[in-house]
Amino acid sequence: MFKTINFFLKKKNLSVLILYLLIFFLFLIFIYLSSPKFFNISKELLEKNLKTNHNINLSSSTNFKYQIFPTPRIIASDVNLNSEDNIFQVENSEISFVLKFNKILDFKNLNYKKLIISKGNLTFDLKKSTNVINFLKKNNKKIIFEKNQLYLTQENEDLIVINNSRIQLNSDNLKKELVLNGLFLDNKINLSLTNLSDKKNNLILKIPSLDITTNVVFEKNNLTNVYDGTINIQVLNNLLFFKFFKDKSFNIEQGYIRNDLINSSILGDIILKPNFFINLTLEPNYLKIKKIFNLTNMSFFKEDYLNNIEMLKKINGSVSIKQILNGEIIFENNQIILKNFYNEADNNYIINAQINEYGKKGKIRFQLTKKLNNKDNVTNNIEIIGYLIPFESKIIFNQISLDNVEYSIDQVEELETKFNKEVIEKSLDNLFEKAKLDNFFKSLIN
């Protein structure tokens, strides 16, 4: 019996000893983790590490503190900083140096695992987007931007705002990676930019709720400063793919566009600087002309047309169309010009038009030339000049001539009334009814 009691006493002493050792061990850990609290945190040291490891300049900071939880870290608040080449700036943020557990007493070198920049206003200059790859290459440690308001700007104007953004920069010997998540117009957005060791770069953008996916693979030739690669964009049921190379201009080759309006190859050039300029060629094998016309009507001749006009102001250049429909669309000084358009199935029609007024009072000025054989099989040339008023579904004839002989004013007004009543019938969709158009033109020569 005494042996049994002695056994339990020894066992109890052992448990107490283990408990004391555990408490002592935890106390040592606490002292170890708390040690940095008793040393001054040097602003110069933080600046040096930001400069050396991340190419970031610390503009200002008012408070520094050491925090144990959730992991040991040095925190600076009320921080303003910017990247060395001004790709981005951050204002009123908080930065955290997350320390390595076994290096927290190395106060001279400040060994840390990652840098967290949070709760600030992050501004990114889109004009310097090509420098992001170089920034990733120079970055030596992981950086995380989280809970920031992200502003994507160009020429000091906010183009895109992403709320509650999180950007993570990962770095190793094989690849450099930037990952962005946030809310764009209340829609979740995900973007990743990866720089691989073989100089290839991959950009992937996804906005799931809007069914938008973009995949860009590109490579830069450091000797010629030329980019080449592929772009694949999917927006709802719209697909755009092309191979490209970029020097002074953005050259598109072996491309196509597909949706319920058009299925076409696409080639040409896009110039981004100093102004946006396009020179493209489309060769469609599928084209819904009527739907495209209605979409133009909805975009530019309704009450809420202003946003579309702002976009149109940024476009200059031309788009040539060959096959099925032939002609050239010219964008110039907020105008849309249609030059020498004809349908391949019926090339007896040639249409020139110009749009320079928009909204409810907008007009499309047109000149139509039509070749038509009369009952004696003699070819007549009909020319009509006038205006189409999309909002009112109405056409106005200014001049009509047959074989260069002009109709009288009364005849023009009579034919205008006839056209609006018998062809348009209060719907511009009827402009695409070939039988109605043919009957009207035949009435001019018979």
Side-chain angles (χ1 to χ4, degrees), residues 209-224:
S209 59
L210 301 180
D211 199 12
I212 295 176
T213 302
T214 301
N215 192 335
V216 183
V217 179
F218 59 99
E219 182 176 358
K220 181 181 180 181
N221 187 321
N222 291 325
L223 296 178
T224 61

Side-chain angles (χ1 to χ4, degrees), residues 125-312:
D125 188 353
L126 290 175
K127 275 195 170 182
K128 299 185 178 180
S129 58
T130 54
N131 295 332
V132 172
I133 298 298
N134 290 330
F135 178 78
L136 289 174
K137 289 178 179 178
K138 293 177 182 178
N139 188 63
N140 296 324
K141 289 183 181 289
K142 180 185 288 188
I143 308 180
I144 297 175
F145 297 82
E146 64 180 15
K147 298 179 181 179
N148 293 294
Q149 191 89 343
L150 174 60
Y151 299 90
L152 303 180
T153 66
Q154 188 169 5
E155 296 180 353
N156 297 319
E157 290 187 12
D158 297 335
L159 299 182
I160 298 174
V161 179
I162 299 177
N163 300 313
N164 197 28
S165 68
R166 187 179 195 276
I167 304 174
Q168 182 168 321
L169 305 181
N170 301 319
S171 178
D172 59 38
N173 293 329
L174 296 178
K175 69 176 182 179
K176 311 285 185 178
E177 184 179 42
L178 181 152
V179 179
L180 164 65
N181 294 284
L183 292 174
F184 171 63
L185 300 177
D186 295 325
N187 298 289
K188 289 185 178 179
I189 183 173
N190 174 265
L191 180 146
S192 67
L193 175 61
T194 305
N195 171 241
L196 303 174
S197 57
D198 61 358
K199 297 182 182 179
K200 285 188 177 180
N201 305 290
N202 189 201
L203 172 67
I204 299 175
L205 169 66
K206 294 182 179 180
I207 307 179
S209 59
L210 301 180
D211 199 12
I212 295 176
T213 302
T214 301
N215 192 335
V216 183
V217 179
F218 59 99
E219 182 176 358
K220 181 181 180 181
N221 187 321
N222 291 325
L223 296 178
T224 61
N225 203 32
V226 172
Y227 288 89
D228 66 84
T230 61
I231 292 179
N232 194 333
I233 301 173
Q234 179 176 339
V235 181
L236 298 175
N237 294 321
N238 301 280
L239 299 175
L240 176 63
F241 171 85
F242 52 82
K243 292 183 178 181
F244 70 90
F245 69 87
K246 180 184 178 298
D247 190 359
K248 292 181 179 179
S249 65
F250 194 86
N251 184 270
I252 298 173
E253 53 184 14
Q254 297 182 28
Y256 64 80
I257 179 171
R258 294 175 185 166
N259 53 43
D260 61 349
L261 298 176
I262 185 173
N263 185 347
S264 173
S265 64
I266 180 170
L267 303 169
D269 297 284
I270 298 175
I271 297 174
L272 302 176
K273 296 178 181 180
N275 298 304
F276 187 79
F277 185 88
I278 60 175
N279 182 16
L280 302 176
T281 299
L282 304 180
E283 293 188 9
N285 53 43
Y286 171 84
L287 186 65
K288 290 289 186 181
I289 301 174
K290 181 177 175 180
K291 283 187 176 182
I292 293 173
F293 177 82
N294 287 332
L295 181 62
T296 303
N297 187 13
M298 292 294 295
S299 300
F300 298 114
F301 300 104
K302 299 298 181 182
E303 293 181 355
D304 54 348
Y305 71 98
L306 290 175
N307 288 336
N308 297 315
I309 295 300
E310 287 301 315
M311 185 180 300
L312 183 63

